[in-house]
Every structure is written in structure tokens, then in C-alpha cells.
Amino acid sequence: MVEISFPMSEASRHRGIEAAPTYLNLTTPFFHCIIQPLIPADKLAVHFHDTYGQALANILVALEQDVRTIDSSVAGLGGCPYAKGASGNVATEDVVYMLHGMGMETNIDLDALVDAGSFISNVLGKESDSKVARAMLAKRI
């Protein structure tokens, strides 16, 4: 089972260490050489913004290394106040869709998640940054 924790900073205080590289592409060699020898996977959480479209690829590398705590944001909302131009966190809808496609159990109802993201995006007057949500909502019309 994959756990998606909100907010990650609170979860990481209780679980272990959070890897949150805003501009980093988390490659398998980087993970093997630097992170994995120092931190057990069950004590590591990942938090990725999708500024360069690499968040899902980075999450996949983390999953391959047995990391099971992933930070994400409904509709990809948010940002990074100290990293100029950074987008919001990776959209939870996109992460859940990928995990379900990989056969991983999340106990998350993707349709309900898309509805929640659509609701908050409408309240904020902002389009969802989730590619999955946009595709699923377009099919409903």
C-alpha cells in the first residue's frame, strides 16, 4: 500500500526525512549513491514540484527504491516561495492514476479526488494542473 501524506512537512517530522529537491531530477544512480546508503527507504518521504515535468519520473525512481511516502497536492495547487518560477507540487490525481496503473493499492477513489480538485480549482478561479483531472473531466462532458 502506498501512503500519500498531507502535509508532508508534518508527516516527515513523525516518519523520518523528506527529500524535496525543487530543481533536481532524481536519478537512480543519485538515489543509490547518495540517499539510499544514508537513509532507510521506510524513513524517507519524497516531495516534488512539477516545474520541469519530471515529478512522476522522479516518483517512479523513488518507488523503485521502496520509498512509500509521497507528497502531492490536489490539482497541483501550491508553489514554492523560495524557488522562482517553481510550479505547485505534483498533482495528487496524476500520482494516484500512475500508481493505479502500476497495480498499486492506494485506497483512494480517483473519481472523488478529481471532483475535489475540480471543486477547489473552481473556488480559486484556477484551472487544475492535473493532466489526469483535465482528461477525466473532459470525458464527462
Side-chain angles (χ1 to χ4, degrees), residues 76-92:
L77 295 171
C80 188
Y82 52 83
K84 208 170 200 171
S87 64
N89 294 340
V90 63
T92 305

Side-chain angles (χ1 to χ4, degrees), residues 60-116:
L60 182 59
V61 169
L63 289 168
E64 289 172 344
Q65 306 307 314
D66 296 323
V67 173
R68 293 296 183 262
T69 302
I70 303 164
D71 188 20
S72 61
S73 176
V74 172
L77 295 171
C80 188
Y82 52 83
K84 208 170 200 171
S87 64
N89 294 340
V90 63
T92 305
E93 299 91 325
D94 297 353
V95 174
V96 170
Y97 181 83
M98 179 181 78
L99 296 175
H100 288 180
M102 295 169 63
M104 299 183 93
E105 179 59 45
T106 64
N107 294 319
I108 296 172
D109 179 335
L110 184 57
D111 286 311
L113 180 60
V114 167
D115 291 341

Side-chain angles (χ1 to χ4, degrees), residues 9-16 43:
S9 56
E10 180 66 23
S12 61
R13 275 187 230 134
H14 299 290
R15 292 206 173 90
K43 298 294 182 194

Side-chain angles (χ1 to χ4, degrees), residues 7 24-26 28 78 85 89 113 120 125 133:
L24 178 66
N25 187 11
L26 183 62
T28 302
N89 294 340
L113 180 60
I120 192 63

